[in-house]
Amino acid sequence: MTDTSRRSVLTAALATAAGTTGILAAGPGTAAAAPAPAAAPAGAGAGYATTSGYTKYSEIYQDTLRVEGTDYGRRFKRHERVDATFSGKAQLPGTSVIALHGGGIEPGSSEVALGIAGYHPKGLVPTGAATDPRYDYWLFEGLLGAGQNGALHVTSTGCDDYHALGLTEGSLNVVSVHGCTANQQGAPGYGLVLGGLNQQFKTLVAEELVLLNSALPAPAIVIVDSSQAPELGGVSPNNPCNRTLLKQGVQLELTNTLRDSLFDDPSTRTSRANTVNARFWAFTGAIRTAIARLEAAQAAAKTAP
């Protein structure tokens, strides 16, 4: 799509959104005002886990009552980069994708992160064409029974996992995928809080989601800017999404209703991996397009030395 046609489609989509759903009514990268987010209920369930006795991941790892592979798991992938010549120039890792509260903690966030990274949640098979980009990823996943994984929730700024931080701090950009409830973000059910410190990245993500809304049947995704939901804003410099080479990234907070809509059966980790649907691929594809646009702009501007 040319820039002109993209702008035309986007303009039309924005006009429609402003008149019907309140999505980005003030223009790309901004959001219609939303009510102040309500505090999550104590012991919030499958949509979002808020209570935990742990303040750091290392506390979980050191807890002898927690068994990795049984109670929780970590998965990650870093792609090989080689510069074996004197004249060559190895490209820095562009974008990494993380899910700090995957598995049963914030159900669906692991699968969405994998889809954005370019892998099918079932079997981690690369998706799309062989030449399509694949992104490094890191996942922390709760493996406990239903309703128990909230005990493994660690606030993002408490992430001290060396693999996770080594990944984010060596990347130009990071997309961090989370889950929340509509009560927390103060938006309708099919909502997404768009946070993080990279304003350019946020604008590109918002534009692609507006275009997605114009192509998909209702219900539309309601985009809430982090300024309207500061609790979920992801603006701390200690948040892994912002611990990048550029000191800024993007955080996506998807409501449980939105996450559930991406699977034909969202009830378990296995069923989610096996039943990703067309909305899943459309959503993750929109984020991948935003990443591609960002990296192209960075390459043109020679952001990295």
Side-chain angles (χ1 to χ4, degrees), residues 23 46-47 106-109 111-112 177-182 185 187-194 205 209 212-213 216-224 252-264 266 272 276-284 287:
I23 302 166
E106 292 167 4
S109 59
E111 292 80 7
V112 170
V177 182
H178 291 264
C180 65
T181 67
Q185 71 168 25
Y190 288 86
L192 179 149
V193 175
L194 184 53
V205 169
L209 291 179
L212 176 64
N213 278 337
L216 285 180
I221 298 172
V222 178
I223 307 167
V224 178
L252 309 177
E253 291 270 4
L254 286 68
T255 60
N256 49 343
T257 306
L258 174 57
R259 281 175 281 133
D260 285 352
S261 74
L262 307 179
F263 312 94
D264 291 338
R272 288 192 296 274
V276 294
N277 58 29
R279 291 184 72 91
F280 175 93
W281 295 118
F283 177 83
T284 56
I287 307 302

Side-chain angles (χ1 to χ4, degrees), residues 183-226:
N183 285 338
Q184 284 177 299
Q185 71 168 25
Y190 288 86
L192 179 149
V193 175
L194 184 53
L197 293 176
N198 192 324
Q199 297 302 317
Q200 178 188 15
F201 201 175
K202 288 173 62 177
T203 297
L204 294 173
V205 169
E207 289 176 357
E208 293 303 327
L209 291 179
V210 170
L211 290 174
L212 176 64
N213 278 337
S214 70
L216 285 180
I221 298 172
V222 178
I223 307 167
V224 178
D225 187 79
S226 57

Side-chain angles (χ1 to χ4, degrees), residues 51-137:
T51 57
S52 168
Y54 303 110
T55 61
K56 299 178 180 179
Y57 284 97
S58 58
E59 294 173 0
I60 298 178
Y61 306 156
Q62 294 164 7
D63 187 342
T64 57
L65 298 179
R66 298 294 185 193
V67 179
E68 185 161 14
T70 300
D71 299 325
Y72 67 91
R74 291 175 285 178
R75 293 188 285 172
F76 73 93
K77 185 176 183 66
R78 303 185 74 163
H79 298 81
E80 182 180 24
R81 294 172 180 86
V82 177
D83 181 359
T85 68
F86 293 116
S87 59
K89 183 177 180 180
Q91 184 177 2
L92 284 169
T95 303
S96 297
V97 188
I98 59 175
L100 300 176
H101 307 135
I105 304 173
E106 292 167 4
S109 59
S110 296
E111 292 80 7
V112 170
L114 287 169
I116 295 171
Y119 294 92
H120 197 297
K122 180 182 179 181
L124 303 180
V125 178
T127 58
T131 56
D132 286 352
R134 316 284 170 211
Y135 303 111
D136 295 349
Y137 63 81

